[in-house]
Amino acid sequence: MANPTPRWRRKGSAARFVLLGAFVLFVLAPLYWMFVTSIKPSDDYLAVPPVWFPAQPTSVHYTAALFAYRGLQGLINSLVISLAATVLSALFGTMMAYSLARFGTGGRHLSFWVLSQRFLPPIAVVLPIFLIYRSIGLHDSRLGMIIAYTVFTLPVTVWMMFAYFRGLPRSMEDAALVDGCTRWQAFWSVAVPLAAPGIVAAAVFAFIACWTEFFFALVLTSRNAFTLPTVFRAFLGFQGAQYGEASALAIVSLVPSILLGVLAQRHLVRGLTLGAVRG
């Protein structure tokens, strides 16, 4: 006859479910309220008692946010800039991290110096960048924002990949060299495929950092290359806050991040266990 589950263990399981349910509610409740606000008529925003779901949902706030407030242009700019900066950051970050991990480039201090660049507050560097961009014609351009965001995300990408390459065994690369591969071929054909989960995880973090960045975009753009976060300024005007339009654009801004997380989920879980691979 099987032993009954001890009472203390049943209470522990129940407590875990309660905590998990509270966490899920804490995460999903703001998202639900933001979605409901985006489809509410304006009169229902501050109604008492609150309107939990509108009787007649409307899409007028989405139309206004995307077209009247130029949210669609901000969305396109954000996608182009974030994707380009992510690809460049992952490419350069992977090569730099491999050089640091395998050849000790720059000695012991270069790797920490690279990470220390991320410690600089944006306010300390944004003004010189603004002046340089104005001088060379990169202000308010997608190319200027791609360069700025690549530099902005590169330190974290290098450090994530540095830890990953240090955890990968050298034996497979050495075997490829013995078989006649060049060092470059061993890097692209052996090391990069082995490090693919780490590259994906670093790229996801770089994309999210670019997608949500506000301060650089506020200073370095105006009418042409403005990104999605800067559009939200338009919803706080003299005529009051535009809750519906702001919520609608916030819902739209969530879509790329959610899709990226779902598509990269398998690699992301493996990539976050940096250093777990051992020879």
Side-chain angles (χ1 to χ4, degrees), residues 12 44 55 58 62 79 91 100 117 124 139 142 145 152 155 159 168 176-177 201 217 219 234 244 246 260 274:
D44 291 345
T58 177
Y62 285 88
L79 282 174
L91 178 64
L100 291 171
Q117 303 310 300
H139 179 259
R142 288 178 178 174
M145 290 301 295
F152 172 71
W159 258 85
L168 290 179
L177 294 174
V219 177
L260 185 63
L274 299 178

Side-chain angles (χ1 to χ4, degrees), residues 16-257:
R16 285 196 294 271
F17 279 111
V18 170
L19 290 175
L20 181 61
F23 176 75
V24 171
L25 183 64
F26 178 78
V27 173
L28 295 183
L31 295 178
Y32 172 76
W33 195 251
M34 187 166 60
F35 171 71
V36 169
T37 303
S38 72
I39 59 175
K40 279 182 183 177
S42 302
D43 295 338
D44 291 345
Y45 292 160
L46 303 177
V48 179
V51 176
W52 297 101
F53 196 87
Q56 295 181 337
T58 177
S59 63
V60 66
H61 303 309
Y62 285 88
T63 305
L66 291 175
F67 299 103
Y69 289 91
R70 301 184 68 192
L72 182 60
Q73 181 64 36
L75 179 66
I76 294 172
N77 286 337
S78 283
L79 282 174
V80 173
I81 293 169
S82 298
L83 287 174
T86 298
V87 171
L88 292 176
S89 179
L91 178 64
F92 294 139
T94 299
M95 291 191 290
M96 291 176 63
Y98 185 80
S99 177
L100 291 171
R102 285 291 185 263
F103 307 115
T105 304
R108 293 186 307 167
H109 302 295
L110 181 59
S111 56
F112 181 76
W113 180 85
V114 171
L115 181 63
S116 69
Q117 303 310 300
R118 192 64 184 85
F119 299 159
L120 286 173
I123 190 65
V125 296
V126 72
L127 182 57
I129 295 175
F130 171 78
L131 296 174
I132 293 171
Y133 274 20
R134 287 292 297 268
S135 301
I136 62 178
L138 285 179
H139 179 259
D140 197 21
S141 69
R142 288 178 178 174
L143 178 60
M145 290 301 295
I146 291 170
I147 295 173
Y149 280 179
T150 301
V151 176
F152 172 71
T153 56
L154 197 56
V156 175
T157 305
V158 171
W159 258 85
M160 290 183 69
M161 292 311 303
F162 176 65
Y164 209 92
F165 279 125
R166 289 184 65 183
L168 290 179
R170 290 173 175 265
S171 56
M172 297 184 69
E173 295 167 58
D174 293 337
L177 294 174
V178 171
D179 289 341
C181 288
T182 63
R183 172 59 72 176
W184 185 255
Q185 289 172 327
F187 169 67
W188 280 110
S189 303
V190 179
V192 170
L194 288 175
I199 296 173
V200 172
V204 169
F205 276 96
F207 179 84
I208 293 174
C210 296
W211 186 255
T212 58
E213 201 284 327
F214 175 76
F215 189 64
F216 277 99
L218 179 65
V219 177
L220 300 179
T221 66
S222 55
R223 295 185 57 81
N224 298 318
F226 64 90
T227 58
L228 198 59
T230 62
V231 179
F232 284 87
R233 292 178 301 162
F235 302 132
L236 299 173
F238 293 107
Q239 298 178 350
Q242 308 298 318
Y243 296 112
E245 287 80 358
S247 298
L249 200 60
I251 292 295
V252 172
S253 71
L254 288 175
V255 174
S257 298

